[in-house]
Amino acid sequence: RESQQGGLAVLLQHEKVGEPEFLRKNAFRLLQLHRYHLAAALFLLSDAVEEAALVLANHLQDLQLVLLVTRRHPDVCHGIMKKCLEDIPAGDPWLRLLLTYHGGDTVRPSFSENETSAQQELFDRSLRLCQDASGLAEVVDKLLP
């Protein structure tokens, strides 16, 4: 572990660290090594927000961090959220609302108050399946005019 941290320190002290292409090249190498957090960080340092967001969404499956990283880049956020919305099953009405809203869609999502979801987890760290849609209509009314 100490040698890995030393490698990152050497990278950040390299003479080309200010060049975006150098950072992107090393970020792709970190992806090959399955060091996703560091790869996303290097993509962000090289102003490659879309690549960083894709790493966070696809490899780390952390949609909350994607929302944070893409806050000032709504076009990137909308595309990723729409893609995530296509990939999830219809079981979680709250997650569907979140992805629809942050995907830039102002159409009211359809849901059933009695809808229940499967017991499997979609995401292993940040988002969990919701078991019912109670209260969702009120939230939709406030968010989507």
Side-chain angles (χ1 to χ4, degrees):
R1 176 125 178 120
E2 198 169 304
S3 66
Q4 292 174 350
Q5 291 175 351
L8 182 60
V10 169
L11 174 69
L12 294 176
Q13 293 174 355
H14 194 276
E15 62 187 37
K16 293 183 178 182
V17 76
E19 298 176 18
E21 194 57 38
F22 175 78
L23 292 172
R24 290 185 76 235
K25 176 182 162 188
N26 283 284
F28 283 116
R29 178 64 182 138
L30 287 168
L31 281 177
Q32 291 174 338
L33 298 173
H34 303 279
R35 310 253 339 253
Y36 303 120
H37 287 96
L38 288 174
L42 287 184
F43 279 129
L44 286 174
L45 287 173
S46 68
D47 290 327
V49 176
E50 186 170 5
E51 285 90 349
L54 287 171
V55 169
L56 296 171
N58 297 334
H59 294 287
L60 298 176
Q61 297 177 338
D62 191 344
L63 295 180
Q64 292 172 340
L65 192 53
V66 171
L67 290 173
L68 182 69
V69 165
T70 60
R71 182 177 176 148
R72 298 198 185 267
H73 303 276
D75 52 328
V76 173
C77 181
H78 292 174
I80 291 174
M81 291 301 138
K82 286 180 182 178
K83 174 74 170 108
C84 291
L85 188 60
E86 293 170 4
D87 293 344
I88 66 166
D92 186 354
W94 287 94
L95 180 58
R96 294 191 75 72
L97 174 65
L98 172 79
L99 295 178
T100 301
Y101 179 75
H102 288 290
D105 195 353
T106 57
V107 176
R108 291 173 175 260
S110 61
F111 62 91
S112 167
E113 285 290 335
N114 297 327
E115 184 176 312
T116 59
S117 61
Q119 295 296 322
Q120 69 184 32
E121 295 181 14
L122 285 179
F123 302 99
D124 62 352
R125 289 188 184 91
S126 57
L127 297 175
R128 301 279 184 241
L129 286 172
C130 177
Q131 299 304 313
D132 61 44
S134 61
L136 188 57
E138 182 180 344
V139 173
V140 170
D141 288 340
K142 291 188 186 284
L143 285 178
L144 302 174

